[in-house]
Amino acid sequence: MPRLVVIGAGGHAKVVVELARSCGFEVVGCLDADDTPRLVVGAPVIGKDDMAASLLSDGVRFAALGIGRNRVRERISVELEALGFTLPALISPKAVVSPSAEVERGAIVMPCAVLNAECRIGPFGIVNTSASVDHDCRLGIAVHVAPGSRIAGSVFIGDRAMIGVGSAVAPGVTIGADATLGAGATAIHDIPSNTIAVGTPARARATR
Ligand SMILES: CC(C)(COP(=O)(O)OP(=O)(O)OC[C@H]1O[C@@H](n2cnc3c(N)ncnc32)[C@H](O)[C@@H]1OP(=O)(O)O)[C@@H](O)C(=O)NCCC(=O)NCCS
């Protein structure tokens, strides 16, 4: 069984540990800034992030990110790849994935997610529990589509954008890079980069 280390040890790491196991990996443990010995759904916290290189020399070739924050997840993913780790796409056996959908390296697709025809999930992205991404969507690097969100067809989502829990995006809308669509919002018009938008219809509340 291929061995894999999870980076992070919080709530998101729990679901990533279980996802990796369901994809056939042995999770050797988690690395976290707080290396207090403890278990994350049975996986031991074995050290801080700087232990990654020694795990690689012990033959652990695979890593997965258990970190929700998009910018941090992107940065650490790139660092791990530079060290020599492979970040596999992890797709839950309980997700429904079109044969023409593309899921790039380091992206994770949680149980009950649906990916429809010819959509593309960029590197290090998260399509979370029960979220759906419909036909022809393009998701950039390290995008997070939170649980229960519904992305209609031909939507473009820029790098590191966060699509909040239970939100919806209408067909053809563009969500800019580093934008946040708030929980429960409905985007019927484009949302500019670096903008936080909330409500139905979603309106900009702030910029970063
Ligand atoms: C939109 C969001 C990012 C704003 O966070 P924030 O900047 O910390 O905002 P605050 O909590 O300080 O709230 C500021 C105001 O916005 C309102 N607001 C915040 N989120 C809102 C939302 N999703 N919908 C409508 N209004 C919202 C608050 O009620 C508050 O209004 P007030 O000023 O009239 O009291 C956050 O509330 C959100 O929805 N995040 C999504 C989280 C998520 O889905 N995570 C998934 C994890 S798996």
Side-chain angles (χ1 to χ4, degrees):
M1 196 180 273
R3 294 189 297 155
L4 175 146
V5 62
V6 169
I7 312 301
H12 185 59
K14 289 183 183 177
V15 291
V16 171
V17 167
E18 293 193 340
L19 175 68
R21 288 177 181 144
S22 73
C23 293
F25 289 91
E26 176 194 342
V27 178
V28 296
C30 298
L31 302 184
D32 194 62
D34 171 9
D35 63 350
T36 309
R38 61 198 188 279
L39 293 177
V40 179
V41 287
V45 175
I46 52 179
K48 294 185 192 283
D49 297 5
D50 59 7
M51 235 191 102
S54 64
L55 285 174
L56 194 62
S57 32
D58 287 347
V60 178
R61 288 181 34 237
F62 296 96
L65 271 288
I67 294 174
R69 280 173 298 155
N70 294 343
R71 188 169 288 279
V72 178
R73 191 171 67 258
E74 179 187 18
R75 177 178 55 76
I76 297 178
S77 297
V78 169
E79 288 170 4
L80 290 171
E81 287 188 328
L83 274 177
F85 279 97
T86 297
L87 274 58
L90 296 175
I91 302 175
S92 168
K94 293 183 177 157
V96 178
V97 178
S98 157
S100 59
E102 277 180 57
V103 181
E104 297 200 34
R105 68 192 202 282
I108 64 174
V109 180
M110 290 293 183
C112 300
V114 178
L115 304 185
N116 225 323
E118 295 194 339
C119 71
R120 189 165 73 219
I121 311 302
F124 322 131
I126 303 171
V127 181
N128 221 321
T129 317
S130 295
S132 62
V133 179
D134 227 289
H135 65 86
D136 300 302
C137 285
R138 294 284 175 271
L139 274 56
I141 301 169
V143 167
H144 182 178
V145 180
S149 301
R150 291 143 294 149
I151 314 297
S154 302
V155 164
F156 176 87
I157 305 181
D159 297 343
R160 296 170 302 278
M162 164 72 189
I163 309 299
V165 63
S167 60
V169 183
V173 163
T174 292
I175 308 287
D178 297 295
T180 297
L181 185 63
T186 308
I188 58 171
H189 301 299
D190 294 352
I191 306 292
S193 299
N194 297 300
T195 300
I196 299 173
V198 299
T200 297
R203 297 195 194 286
R205 191 180 66 70
T207 48
R208 287 172 197 282

